[in-house]
Amino acid sequence: MTAPPASFSARTVLPSLPLAALAALLLPGPASAQPGANPTVSWTLAPATRAPLHPGDRVRLVLQGTVREGWHVYAFKQKENGPTPLKVSLEAGDVALADGAPSGSAPILAHDPAFNLDTPYYTRTFAISVPVRLKPHAAAGRQQLPVSVRFQTCNGATCEPPKTLHLTAAVDVAPRG
């Protein structure tokens, strides 16, 4: 068997692959809420109640973050020239409007060597409350409430670039009447 030429393309290799192997290369893998094989934080979003809601009702969405050991997520308020603060917002849509500012668990306040500042951040598991109000003309049935989460994580030696995730929470809207 001879070695392939110093420069070769996928065109020369792919035709010799069995069809199943070729399909495995082309099909996407499982979806996840945060890209990457080993995320520094994972997120869940759900309404605080599972009861059917009515147009005009208030509901609280609960965003939970679980931070990998040794890492932290920066909290809402940060000093100038510090890390990217956590930002949680309801995205525009036909179903609901923001009904106040998100609030969360009390963060830890400690010196962060990555920024040489005292910074508030979260470790382990923390929760953020996102208050929303259904619009008066929200359609009946299962509706999705989209939320954006912008955050940055560090571990004291290295920081990941800020990321924005788009999550949704499903709510059941009862018919008007």
Side-chain angles (χ1 to χ4, degrees), residues 120-147:
Y121 58 79
Y122 297 109
T123 61
R124 299 184 188 153
T125 300
F126 63 97
I128 304 297
S129 177
V130 184
V132 300
R133 180 186 296 268
L134 295 183
K135 290 184 175 180
H137 300 291
R142 179 150 291 233
Q143 301 294 333
Q144 299 296 321
L145 302 179
V147 171

Side-chain angles (χ1 to χ4, degrees), residues 31-35 39 41-47 61-66 73 86-93 95-96 126-130 132 143-151 163-171:
S32 74
Q34 181 175 343
V41 60
S42 58
W43 303 92
T44 60
L45 179 68
L61 303 180
V62 178
L63 174 68
Q64 184 170 319
T66 303
V73 172
L86 179 64
K87 182 180 179 186
V88 179
S89 55
L90 181 70
E91 294 177 12
V95 181
F126 63 97
I128 304 297
S129 177
V130 184
V132 300
Q143 301 294 333
Q144 299 296 321
L145 302 179
V147 171
S148 293
V149 182
R150 180 130 175 101
F151 65 99
K163 297 177 185 171
T164 301
L165 292 181
H166 302 280
L167 306 171
T168 59
V171 295

Side-chain angles (χ1 to χ4, degrees), residues 9 56 103 113 154 157 171:
S9 69
S103 60
C154 287
V171 295

Side-chain angles (χ1 to χ4, degrees), residues 29-135:
S32 74
Q34 181 175 343
N38 199 3
T40 54
V41 60
S42 58
W43 303 92
T44 60
L45 179 68
T49 180
R50 295 286 181 198
L53 302 168
H54 296 88
D57 281 356
R58 290 180 172 156
V59 64
R60 187 172 50 90
L61 303 180
V62 178
L63 174 68
Q64 184 170 319
T66 303
V67 184
R68 193 169 83 199
E69 184 68 34
W71 289 82
H72 54 267
V73 172
Y74 293 103
F76 289 112
K77 295 184 180 179
Q78 298 297 325
K79 292 181 181 176
E80 189 175 333
N81 299 320
T84 298
L86 179 64
K87 182 180 179 186
V88 179
S89 55
L90 181 70
E91 294 177 12
D94 296 332
V95 181
L97 297 167
D99 193 40
S103 60
S105 309
I108 297 167
L109 180 61
H111 186 76
D112 188 324
F115 292 93
N116 196 28
L117 294 169
D118 289 343
T119 59
Y121 58 79
Y122 297 109
T123 61
R124 299 184 188 153
T125 300
F126 63 97
I128 304 297
S129 177
V130 184
V132 300
R133 180 186 296 268
L134 295 183
K135 290 184 175 180

